Amino acid sequence: MTDTPTYDIVILGAGSGGYAAALRGAQLGLKVALIEGDKLGGTCLHRGCIPTKALLHSAEVADTAAEAASVGVNLTLDSIDMAGVNKYKDGVVARLYKGLQGLVSSRKVDLINGWGKLVAKDTVEVDGKQYKGKNIILATGSYSKTIPGLEIGGRIMTSEQALALDEIPKSAIVLGGGVIGCEFASVWKSFGADVTIIEGLPNLVPNEDASICKALERAFRKRKINFKTGTMFKSATQDDNSVTVETESGDTFTADLLLVAIGRGPVTKDLGYEEQGISLDRGFVITNERLHTGVGNIYAVGDIVPGLQLAHRGFQQGIFVAEEIAGLAPQVQEESGIPRVTYCEPEIASVGITEAKAKETYGEDQVNVVEYNLAGNGKSQILKTTGFIKLVGVKDGPIVGVHMIGARVGELVGESQLMVNWEAYPEDVAALIHAHPTQDEAMGEAALALAGKPLHSHN
């Protein structure tokens, strides 16, 4: 019998949260084991954020080509070469994967390939071999959910199968109008497909500010992306040629394929968590604000912890826990201060709380709101985009929410994050110099308006 290797940290799962914890832990001089049954980088790198955004970039290029004549460039969009699109997408993933492998190796993290299970409060077992950790980090990620009775297969798929398609569907039904659903709908429409989104809640992207929801719906109507909100799914049937969806209201829709994009569930089943006394709620691991499970020295990060299921949230949590274990007492990050981006066309970006939440929190008469229309921004005119930047502020107080829609507004969320998390006052932001001509100028203009001294608007 061989001795059980012992580490300062054993991490179960090598997605964004897990590998960030491993890299930071090793950087702090801790001995780290990183266990992964699939590929280093997890869902985000291989089946989520990165390949999806590569598809979205191909879609943006297609849109640019289709609209080239409007800016004086004569060219034609002959076709979408899906084999070429996939080659580009897979190449991006492969380069990032290789770079991540090199990083983990250079930091001397022990990468253990295999499916791990928690078998004691300080031990993870992989293929019959045990690894002891003075600290354990659970980072097992999430999976694409489906509706009970709706079986994935054939023409009914989740985002993982959709990313591997080798041809563009002529038509598609998207079940779910959240981030994933709207991004795929946007891509397929740019590639020439006829798309219909079915969403049970009253609006698309229902977690966003109400004005953003309405603006996206207007933009999607203009793009001829069909959608039915407030509509509950009833059933789906498929044959060799198509799939048909029936809703609770009696409507039927038929298309080449059905994308099920109703969210992601935590991967925690049969991993030994409950047996070791860890509390689960609907499969999610319950932790305190410092991400400790309340059992031994076991922490949890990423999509298995209730809250926003975002790769950068898991990444930050991984760093946080590594620093917590090292005794650095890192600062807790407020959930509302995490930036959120939906990469459809037009893009959506937000950080902080919505107007409705602000009024609920501070009182209706204590909230000031400004919407700065991108029509007044020079770079937005050059990009031929519409949309707005909305700032939500507390009277005589800080900016508590930033909500944006328009081409490439995701690139503005960095400043927005600083504004909200550092509790900047409108006059603080208004005093900053925003480079011209950039869309970032619109942020300065919105802040000027919220500070009561609008320059290019009538607020």
Side-chain angles (χ1 to χ4, degrees):
M1 183 175 176
T2 57
D3 291 336
T4 302
T6 300
Y7 294 85
D8 294 311
I9 310 176
V10 171
I11 303 166
L12 188 52
S16 300
Y19 85 69
L23 292 175
R24 183 62 177 134
Q27 189 178 55
L28 292 168
L30 302 174
K31 186 180 179 185
V32 180
L34 182 60
I35 297 167
E36 174 57 56
D38 195 4
K39 289 181 177 179
L40 177 63
T43 295
C44 172
L45 177 54
H46 299 284
R47 301 176 300 281
C49 318
I50 297 301
T52 305
K53 277 52 179 180
L55 283 185
L56 282 152
H57 181 60
S58 292
E60 182 186 20
V61 172
D63 289 339
T64 300
E67 297 162 6
S70 69
V71 295
V73 178
N74 295 319
L75 55 83
T76 57
L77 177 61
D78 295 329
S79 65
I80 305 295
D81 172 16
M82 206 58 207
V85 169
N86 284 332
K87 181 180 179 182
Y88 154 69
K89 165 180 65 73
D90 295 342
V92 171
V93 171
R95 288 189 295 276
L96 290 171
Y97 180 41
K98 184 177 180 181
L100 184 56
Q101 286 175 305
L103 260 178
V104 168
S105 175
S106 69
R107 293 278 172 87
K108 309 234 177 320
V109 171
D110 284 355
L111 181 59
I112 297 156
N113 189 251
W115 299 105
K117 182 175 182 177
L118 192 65
V119 294
K121 291 177 176 59
D122 65 350
T123 307
V124 174
E125 185 172 286
V126 183
D127 297 330
K129 184 172 181 179
Q130 294 189 344
Y131 301 85
K132 279 192 179 293
K134 296 173 186 175
N135 300 273
I136 304 286
I137 301 177
L138 310 177
T140 40
S142 61
Y143 67 94
S144 296
K145 291 197 296 187
T146 187
I147 292 172
L150 180 58
E151 189 175 339
I152 302 300
R155 294 180 177 274
I156 301 173
M157 61 189 65
T158 68
S159 58
E160 293 177 18
Q161 292 82 39
L163 281 168
L165 288 174
D166 57 7
E167 61 182 29
I168 301 160
K170 289 185 174 62
S171 58
I173 301 165
V174 177
L175 183 58
V179 173
I180 296 170
C182 285
E183 288 185 349
F184 272 95
S186 190
V187 166
W188 287 334
K189 185 63 182 180
S190 295
F191 286 172
D194 181 24
V195 184
T196 300
I197 302 170
I198 299 172
E199 169 57 52
L201 293 173
N203 296 103
L204 299 180
V205 289
N207 293 327
E208 295 292 340
D209 188 271
S211 56
I212 296 290
C213 301
K214 290 172 187 168
L216 181 68
E217 289 168 6
R218 286 195 299 271
F220 272 18
R221 285 190 195 99
K222 189 174 180 181
R223 293 189 64 195
K224 295 185 169 47
I225 296 175
N226 307 307
F227 57 89
K228 293 278 287 184
T229 55
T231 302
M232 301 303 292
F233 169 86
K234 182 179 180 182
S235 65
T237 56
Q238 62 175 312
D239 57 28
D240 290 343
N241 301 310
S242 63
V243 57
T244 298
V245 170
E246 184 179 359
T247 67
E248 292 286 359
S249 55
D251 294 324
T252 59
F253 302 88
T254 299
D256 288 352
L257 60 82
L258 168 62
L259 172 67
V260 181
I262 60 168
R264 298 184 65 82
V267 176
T268 55
K269 189 178 178 183
D270 299 328
L271 294 177
Y273 296 177
E274 288 181 290
E275 289 85 343
Q276 299 308 318
I278 293 169
S279 297
L280 301 183
D281 179 15
R282 295 169 294 118
F284 290 96
V285 176
I286 304 305
T287 72
N288 64 13
E289 67 171 6
R290 305 198 73 80
L291 301 173
H292 191 271
T293 63
V295 176
N297 289 326
I298 303 176
Y299 299 82
V301 302
D303 285 1
I304 61 172
V305 178
L308 295 168
Q309 291 181 309
L310 299 168
H312 47 278
R313 171 182 179 257
F315 188 85
Q316 185 273 338
Q317 288 180 338
I319 294 170
F320 176 94
V321 170
E323 293 183 350
E324 179 82 349
I325 288 168
L328 300 183
Q331 183 177 340
V332 173
Q333 171 71 61
E334 290 289 334
E335 192 87 356
S336 64
I338 299 172
R340 310 171 291 276
V341 184
T342 303
Y343 295 89
C344 53
E345 172 51 43
E347 273 187 7
I348 295 167
S350 58
V351 64
I353 58 177
T354 64
E355 178 183 350
K357 183 66 176 175
K359 287 178 175 177
E360 178 189 318
T361 303
Y362 300 102
E364 292 249 357
D365 61 345
Q366 294 301 308
V367 174
N368 289 329
V369 175
V370 159
E371 282 188 17
Y372 182 78
N373 195 320
L374 292 180
N377 175 259
K379 186 60 181 286
S380 298
Q381 285 287 334
I382 291 166
L383 293 174
K384 297 171 68 68
T385 189
T386 58
F388 58 84
I389 291 177
K390 176 176 181 175
L391 300 185
V392 180
V394 180
K395 272 190 181 175
D396 301 317
I399 296 165
V400 295
V402 182
H403 308 277
M404 302 175 279
I405 185 166
R408 304 183 188 177
V409 294
E411 301 303 322
L412 305 182
V413 84
E415 180 179 3
S416 308
Q417 178 184 210
L418 296 180
M419 286 159 53
V420 170
N421 284 290
W422 289 354
E423 300 180 341
Y425 280 46
E427 48 269 33
D428 296 332
V429 182
L432 299 173
I433 298 172
H434 294 77
H436 175 76
T438 63
Q439 289 198 105
D440 195 38
E441 278 183 290
M443 189 71 72
E445 293 282 355
L448 279 165
L450 196 61
K453 45 184 180 181
L455 201 63
H456 289 92
S457 65
H458 303 288
N459 293 83

